[in-house]
Amino acid sequence: MNIVVKTAAGKYIVRPDTTWERDNEDVYLPEFVSEVSWAPVLFARISKPGRSVGEEFAERYYDGIGYGVLLYPENLIDGSAEGFACASCLDHTSFLPFPVYNKITLGREGNVFELKADGNQIFRYNSANAGMIRKAIAEATRYIYIRTGDIMAIELDSRKTLCRRGDAPLQLSGTYCDNFSLDFKIIL
C-alpha cells in the first residue's frame, strides 16, 4: 500500500505505508526533528488497480474520500530532491483517518473541512470536488501503477510551519461534515 501525493506544486511523490497514521495516535518525532511543517490534503481510497487511467474513467478507481494532514520535518528538507524524499518517508507523518466518507459528500454545500491547532482555526476548505480526484488519478497513473488499497492524496495548500521544538506539544484537530476526523498531539 502506498500513498500517492499530488503536491501543491503539482508534482507526484509516493510516501510509504509506514508513514500512514489512520488511528489518530499522538506522534512522537525523533530528537533530530526541530521544526514541523504541514499540508492539508483531500484523499481517496483506491478500489481498483490501474495504469494510464483516462480522466473520464477515474471515477471507477476510488470508493471513498477523506481529509487529512501530511507532516514534514523541515530540517530534513535542504533544497535537494533527496532531502524532500527523506522528509516524506518519516514514520507516522501521514494522518489520513479511516473510515472514509462516501464520495458523494464532495461538493455538497455545508460539508466543510476545518483544521485547528491548539483550538485556533488554521485551515478551512469547502471547494473540493470529484473532478480534483479524477484529474489526480489520471495524471498520477501516467507514471505510477496504482493498486487496490493505495491512497491518492492531494495537497490543498502549500507547506507551512506548524510548530518548533520549543512550541510542542501541539494539539491538532480536524472536522469534516461536523464530525471529528483528526485529533492528535505532535510531541517533539
Side-chain angles (χ1 to χ4, degrees):
M1 195 282 302
N2 291 311
I3 302 167
V4 180
V5 179
K6 179 179 182 178
T7 66
K11 302 291 184 186
Y12 288 87
I13 63 166
V14 177
R15 286 179 161 228
D17 60 358
T18 57
T19 69
W20 188 25
E21 178 54 58
R22 65 179 175 181
D23 296 325
N24 282 322
E25 292 187 18
D26 295 344
V27 60
Y28 295 85
L29 294 172
E31 288 185 19
F32 64 82
V33 177
S34 59
E35 182 178 333
V36 177
S37 62
W38 67 286
V41 293
L42 165 65
F43 69 91
R45 179 178 56 199
I46 301 300
S47 58
K48 182 178 175 179
R51 172 178 287 291
S52 299
V53 176
E55 192 171 338
E56 64 275 16
F57 302 111
E59 186 79 24
R60 302 174 187 172
Y61 287 81
Y62 73 100
D63 63 359
I65 62 99
Y67 287 89
V69 173
L70 302 180
L71 301 178
Y72 295 92
E74 276 299 312
N75 48 307
L76 292 179
I77 302 173
D78 60 6
S80 68
E82 293 85 2
F84 188 78
C86 288
S88 297
C89 291
L90 192 62
D91 289 350
H92 303 287
T93 55
S94 301
F95 283 82
L96 307 170
F98 269 57
V100 293
Y101 288 86
N102 190 311
K103 57 187 176 180
I104 64 169
T105 62
L106 282 176
R108 294 223 172 157
E109 193 172 322
N111 290 349
V112 176
F113 174 56
E114 188 173 65
L115 197 59
K116 294 181 180 181
D118 285 339
N120 299 314
Q121 182 178 309
I122 58 172
F123 187 76
R124 182 178 170 85
Y125 194 79
N126 66 346
S127 301
N129 60 62
M132 294 169 66
I133 296 172
R134 287 191 305 266
K135 182 176 180 181
I137 289 172
E139 289 174 352
T141 59
R142 290 174 49 206
Y143 313 103
I144 302 163
Y145 178 75
I146 57 172
R147 299 172 298 170
T148 302
D150 284 354
I151 296 171
M152 178 80 237
I154 303 163
E155 289 185 347
L156 301 172
D157 202 0
S158 56
R159 277 187 347 264
K160 292 181 177 59
T161 299
L162 184 59
C163 64
R164 292 180 175 78
R165 185 158 291 281
D167 303 334
L170 178 90
Q171 182 76 36
L172 204 59
S173 60
T175 57
Y176 178 60
C177 295
D178 294 324
N179 296 312
F180 274 98
S181 58
L182 293 169
D183 191 22
F184 64 94
K185 285 183 185 173
I186 299 172
I187 302 167
L188 294 171

